[in-house]
Amino acid sequence: MPAARASLPSAFGLVLLLALVPVLAPGNITLLNLGFLTFLYVAQGVAWNILGGFAGYVSFGYAAFYGLGAYTTALLWLAGWPPLLTYPAAGLVAAAFSLIVGGPTLRLTGPYFSIATIGVGEAMRILMLNLDRITGGASGLNLPTAVPSKAWFYLLALLIAAAAFTVAALVRRSPFGLGLQALRMDLEAAEGLGVRTALFKNLAHTLSAFIVGACGGLYATYLQFVHPDTVFSFTQSISLVLITLIGGIGTLWGPVLGAAVFYAVQDYLQTSYPTFHLLVYGVLLILILLFEPRGLVGLAGRLWRPLAAAVSRGQAGAGAGRTG
Amino acid sequence: MFSAENLISVGIAALLTAGLYAIMSYGLAIIYGVMKVINLSNAGFLMLGAFLALVYFQRWHLDPVLGAFVNLPIFFAAGWIVHRLLVRRVVTALPIASLLLLFGLWLVLQNLALAVWGGEDQSIITAYTYKALPVFGFRIPVTRLIVFGVALVVLSILHFALGHTYLGKALRATVQDPVAGLLVGIDTEQINAMAFGLGTAFAGFAGGLLTLLFSFNPDFGGTFQLKSFTIIVLGGLENLAGVTVGAAILAFAESYAVLFMRASLQNVIAYALLVVALIVMPGGVAQLLSRRRT
């Protein structure tokens, strides 16, 4: 991507612009909520993309990290911790869990890894539903009601999304990121060239699990309620797959664009057809796989080939901002 | 709890469940065996099969067992079309592309069903739904016996067809080695389409049969799909006869495990077995890896 070099400065500009929203419209709760949830998905999509896009390991099990993060924050918060301190802890718990499951499952290749992650994710959901002493089981857990303002949540989610994007951009450029892309293209060749594939895969998995776990924690404080069937749900896992694939898997801006579109479509359709958005995403996913594997980012590049550089640098960013 | 009588009745229940598991996993196994494609849309067709059986039952008072047979040609055609329009275009790409494509198709089917039939649980109550037959002193629900019997008959026919017809032999040859199959004059493209049609037909058939035992909604099928993966992995993936073995292993493991743990944890057994079998079954996985590289 020729515009990759300019990605960080333009992202930085975009973040500054978006940070002005709560200052200019502090009373617009709808906008702040929409922004919060979009940024939360941006952060997770970007994180998922580190393993799924750069390394090519498509996981259908990230709800396990999200849910563990949400419950870590919930339990620590109930134990009297200030919310802000629980987020790193939530990330660490998710990261630790990713090491446990990643060790064996990341040995599987391609679709077999994907199938195994569905198994892990669903097993976690059922286990958590049954651990009712800790998780509240099928009735969930109510959390303290004293929470910071919507603007605070908005800014914190923006910060996490920006941090995740920076991490992904840095990873992509580093030898680590090149190693991930090499092992995606040919595992054995990468190994032959001296890439420590097992270490790199697990590192990418852990890094993205940390971010998603922290997002889960943030979500728990935002909602003031956690339930195993929502935070550990299969829908939560596939959201990340869809966001990244629709936006453009393996690209830097893809998950950002994907999350903005994902949340805008969901929000627009939710009022009239509560689950109809999944139909739209299903069709989009099929079309993208058949015609444009690089997703919306690839489509944008193709439509405005002469302006491609400007699009991925400026307009793609501004477009994501408008819909978000 | 562990009386001999109890253990035997659990064993009978497990055997009956194994028949059900085998019939719902065969479609997945055929498609995987021939094309090395993991058909995530299987659950969607299973669910559609159940809803169509409901439609026949409501409109024409057609028994669900007959409904399942009516489903066979309809879903064969549907599978054929899906192969022509979608799957054929991505089989040469990375294996993950076909998995994701069929996952997209599952989402579409699921949400179309939601738009048409709504999200409520549906069920089919026939005259024999609540009847039970005494067999060797154990009372067994008639519906379970019917499902087991039908599964046994259909699977026997399939085995015969795979072993004794040209198409069956060509299909098995393609499972073993597609290139060699091409060399001896098998139209593998045609076999692929056949396999996808047949696999989908089995999903629709199993969906129709399942209405005898379970209520269903558009989300129906996800759990069964994951169990089917467990079964075909346990059975050795490329081994069509192994499906029966895998189904039996899973059914017995689940049934007896309930004696030791909470019933609500039962599904965890299948998922844990899936992950463990994928990782430690050297035969299955090694075969897969070598196949993927060629």
Side-chain angles (χ1 to χ4, degrees):
Chain A
M1 226 177 143
R5 246 167 290 125
S7 273
L8 274 182
S10 52
F12 187 67
L14 180 66
V15 167
L16 281 184
L17 212 65
L18 288 169
L20 286 177
V21 170
V23 181
L24 296 177
N28 194 337
I29 300 296
T30 322
L31 191 63
L32 293 181
N33 278 338
L34 188 66
F36 170 79
L37 289 167
T38 308
F39 300 147
L40 211 57
Y41 276 113
V42 168
Q44 292 182 76
V46 166
W48 186 92
N49 195 32
I50 296 175
L51 182 73
F54 298 171
Y57 280 75
V58 173
S59 170
F60 284 89
Y62 267 44
F65 307 141
Y66 192 69
L68 279 175
Y71 267 102
T72 305
T73 285
L75 294 175
L76 290 176
W77 197 15
L78 286 173
W81 285 41
L84 209 52
L85 284 182
T86 66
Y87 305 143
L92 284 176
V93 169
F97 181 71
S98 81
L99 279 178
I100 298 170
V101 291
T105 55
L106 282 168
R107 287 191 209 165
L108 301 167
T109 55
Y112 312 104
F113 172 74
S114 305
I115 296 299
T117 57
I118 302 180
V120 172
E122 282 297 283
M124 277 301 281
R125 184 178 63 82
I126 298 175
L127 283 175
M128 289 301 154
L129 264 175
N130 281 282
L131 279 175
D132 29 21
R133 293 247 176 82
I134 302 168
T135 65
S139 40
L141 272 188
N142 282 309
L143 301 177
T145 46
V147 286
S149 70
K150 295 288 180 208
W152 186 87
F153 276 116
Y154 175 97
L155 287 173
L156 198 58
L158 180 62
L159 192 69
I160 290 188
F165 186 87
T166 311
V167 167
L170 293 178
V171 162
R172 207 172 129 91
R173 254 185 266 171
S174 68
F176 170 48
L178 292 176
L180 291 179
Q181 298 188 44
L183 72 87
R184 182 194 68 216
M185 291 168 193
D186 192 326
L187 192 66
E188 278 170 0
E191 222 154 80
L193 286 170
V195 176
R196 301 176 67 185
T197 55
L199 177 75
F200 277 24
K201 285 188 281 192
N202 276 293
L203 210 55
H205 196 217
T206 309
L207 192 61
S208 59
F210 180 86
I211 298 171
V212 172
C215 287
L218 187 58
Y219 183 72
T221 43
Y222 168 82
L223 206 66
Q224 302 157 38
F225 176 70
V226 275
H227 190 286
D229 268 342
T230 52
V231 290
F232 284 100
S233 70
F234 189 51
T235 317
Q236 174 62 32
S237 291
I238 64 177
S239 299
L240 307 191
V241 182
L242 289 170
I243 283 171
T244 316
L245 272 148
I246 288 171
I249 189 165
T251 66
L252 211 47
W253 282 100
V256 180
L257 198 58
V261 171
F262 187 86
Y263 217 76
V265 172
Q266 183 166 337
D267 193 63
Y268 179 72
L269 288 174
Q270 201 138 41
T271 41
S272 37
Y273 308 97
T275 57
F276 216 56
H277 58 281
L278 286 173
L279 179 64
V280 177
Y281 301 138
V283 173
L284 264 179
L285 181 60
I286 292 174
L287 291 177
I288 277 166
L289 285 161
L290 287 180
F291 303 111
E292 182 51 72
R294 285 170 76 84
L296 294 177
V297 166
L299 193 68
R302 203 193 279 193
L303 284 179
W304 297 293
R305 181 73 68 204
L307 296 166
V311 167
S312 46
R313 202 180 308 139
Q315 285 182 339
R322 262 200 303 279
T323 34
Chain B
M1 189 179 189
F2 295 102
S3 67
E5 197 172 324
N6 214 330
L7 292 181
I8 293 171
S9 78
V10 171
I12 293 174
L15 185 68
L16 295 177
T17 308
L20 167 76
Y21 281 179
I23 196 85
M24 74 187 193
S25 306
Y26 248 95
L28 212 58
I30 291 171
I31 293 175
Y32 180 81
V34 172
M35 305 172 68
K36 309 290 166 276
V37 163
I38 292 177
N39 182 13
L40 275 185
S41 69
N42 197 61
F45 287 111
L46 198 81
M47 175 271 298
L48 275 188
F51 272 104
L52 283 190
L54 177 73
V55 170
Y56 310 145
F57 182 76
Q58 286 175 340
R59 291 258 168 92
W60 304 295
H61 301 288
L62 194 65
D63 190 272
V65 177
L66 292 177
F69 281 100
V70 175
N71 276 348
L72 278 173
I74 298 174
F75 281 82
F76 183 86
W80 184 286
I81 293 168
V82 166
H83 179 262
R84 296 297 296 178
L85 289 183
L86 302 175
V87 181
R88 197 166 53 99
R89 294 168 201 268
V90 292
V91 279
T92 48
L94 284 174
I96 195 73
S98 58
L99 178 133
L100 289 168
L101 182 91
L102 290 162
F103 168 67
L105 182 62
W106 179 21
L107 280 184
V108 170
L109 293 176
Q110 204 178 7
N111 290 285
L112 278 181
L114 198 63
V116 175
W117 289 292
E120 302 86 41
D121 281 352
Q122 311 272 0
S123 54
I124 298 180
I125 310 292
T126 59
Y128 50 85
T129 297
Y130 301 114
K131 295 244 163 65
L133 270 185
V135 177
F136 305 120
F138 297 100
R139 290 185 65 77
I140 298 170
V142 174
T143 48
R144 295 211 148 239
L145 285 174
I146 293 176
V147 170
F148 183 74
V150 172
L152 213 58
V153 171
V154 170
L155 292 181
S156 308
I157 296 172
L158 179 76
H159 269 276
F160 180 81
L162 284 176
H164 298 274
T165 63
Y166 171 78
L167 268 178
K169 287 177 190 167
L171 205 134
R172 283 191 303 138
T174 313
V175 171
Q176 282 173 9
D177 194 332
V179 179
L182 210 55
L183 281 175
V184 298
I186 295 170
D187 185 349
T188 43
E189 180 72 22
Q190 199 71 6
I191 292 294
N192 282 350
M194 284 283 304
F196 210 88
L198 202 59
T200 311
F202 263 95
F205 182 77
L209 274 188
L210 286 178
T211 59
L212 283 180
L213 304 178
F214 305 102
S215 62
F216 50 94
N217 60 31
D219 287 335
F220 185 66
T223 312
F224 292 115
Q225 171 149 292
L226 221 44
K227 286 188 180 179
S228 295
F229 285 128
T230 312
I231 287 162
I232 68 171
V233 173
L234 285 173
L237 276 166
E238 311 231 322
N239 181 353
L240 290 184
V243 171
T244 324
V245 179
I249 295 175
L250 181 63
F252 278 89
E254 279 186 347
S255 304
Y256 281 105
V258 171
L259 295 176
F260 302 98
M261 58 199 264
R262 276 197 202 188
S264 54
L265 280 171
Q266 196 186 35
N267 284 342
V268 172
I269 303 219
Y271 307 154
L273 264 179
L274 171 66
V275 178
V276 171
L278 269 173
I279 293 160
V280 294
M281 284 228 322
V285 176
Q287 252 174 325
L288 288 170
L289 297 182
S290 59
R291 177 60 58 87
R292 265 169 35 73
R293 294 269 149 66
T294 50

